[in-house]
């Protein structure tokens, strides 16, 4: 398996297994097949509704958590029930992250991402529907800072 080194020095497998739209027994079997084929990275998301199934599948397959690279994504519906805008603050990000870990029966995600960060998709603390300078979004108080602070802990 080949790896890429992330900016923080963590090594991430370059090939992974995406779990959407799998659930239940099908997901369990697929994770087993993927692991037997050498896959160490498994990706899910709050939006997929299968974080809990992935956690159960990893346990049933008796996979060693320390040998895996697990990723998930935070989604706007976790905050306000709408798809168009994402309102993040440190409290909500931390709350959703912890709930995500509990659902998957793990202590941490190796990589936690913002799901679908497209232009016109994020509105965090702005009145204008269009954001053209994403540096401002990621640096602004109460937005992505919540995710960044999770990483620093």
């Amino acid at each position: 398996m080949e790896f890429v080194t992330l900016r923080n020095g963590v090594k991430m497998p370059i090939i992974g297994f995406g779990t959407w739209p799998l659930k239940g027994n099908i997901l369990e079997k697929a994770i087993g097949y993927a692991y037997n084929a050498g896959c160490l990275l498994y990706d899910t998301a709050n939006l997929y509704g299968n974080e809990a199934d992935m956690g159960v599948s990893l346990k049933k397959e008796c996979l060693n958590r320390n040998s895996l690279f697990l990723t998930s994504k935070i989604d706007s519906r976790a905050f306000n029930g709408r798809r168009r805008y994402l309102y993040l603050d440190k409290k909500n990000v931390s709350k959703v992250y912890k709930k995500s870990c509990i659902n998957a029966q793990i202590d941490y995600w190796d990589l936690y991402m913002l799901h679908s960060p497209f232009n016109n998709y994020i509105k965090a603390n702005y009145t204008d529907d269009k954001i053209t300078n994403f540096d401002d979004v990621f640096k602004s108080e109460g937005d992505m800072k919540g995710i960044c602070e999770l990483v620093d802990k």
Side-chain angles (χ1 to χ4, degrees):
M1 172 65 62
E2 288 186 54
F3 294 83
V4 63
T5 302
L6 302 177
R7 288 175 35 183
N8 63 357
V10 172
K11 294 191 182 297
M12 179 181 80
I14 62 168
I15 297 175
F17 180 76
T19 61
W20 183 82
L22 306 175
K23 292 184 181 182
N25 206 27
I26 295 171
L27 177 59
E28 182 183 332
K29 287 180 181 180
I31 284 177
Y33 292 139
Y35 185 77
N36 289 334
C39 186
L40 300 175
L41 186 155
Y42 299 88
D43 174 70
T44 187
N46 172 271
L47 180 63
Y48 304 164
N50 67 0
E51 287 176 333
D53 287 346
M54 186 173 95
V56 168
S57 298
L58 294 172
K59 288 202 182 296
K60 281 187 177 179
E61 291 295 317
C62 299
L63 302 184
N64 179 356
R65 170 64 181 96
N66 295 328
S67 68
L68 303 175
F69 194 96
L70 303 179
T71 71
S72 190
K73 299 172 229 39
I74 193 168
D75 183 68
S76 63
R77 288 197 279 191
F79 299 102
N80 61 16
R82 297 184 336 210
R83 271 304 274 147
R84 179 154 174 155
Y85 297 126
L86 182 64
Y87 299 98
L88 295 177
D89 63 33
K90 290 182 273 187
K91 181 180 173 186
N92 283 339
V93 170
S94 181
K95 183 173 144 184
V96 173
Y97 176 86
K98 288 173 185 172
K99 184 175 188 275
S100 175
C101 288
I102 290 167
N103 286 343
Q105 301 176 44
I106 60 174
D107 294 328
Y108 64 96
W109 292 104
D110 295 289
L111 181 63
Y112 196 56
M113 300 170 277
L114 177 61
H115 209 155
S116 305
F118 304 121
N119 195 14
N120 279 342
Y121 181 75
I122 302 172
K123 185 176 174 162
N125 293 333
Y126 289 85
T127 56
D128 182 4
D129 285 350
K130 286 192 174 192
I131 296 173
T132 55
N133 185 353
F134 280 95
D135 288 340
D136 289 343
V137 174
F138 295 118
K139 290 177 186 172
S140 63
E141 183 69 34
D143 302 314
M144 292 305 298
K145 191 170 184 183
I147 290 178
C148 294
E149 286 181 1
L150 283 172
V151 171
D152 291 337
K153 288 183 180 180

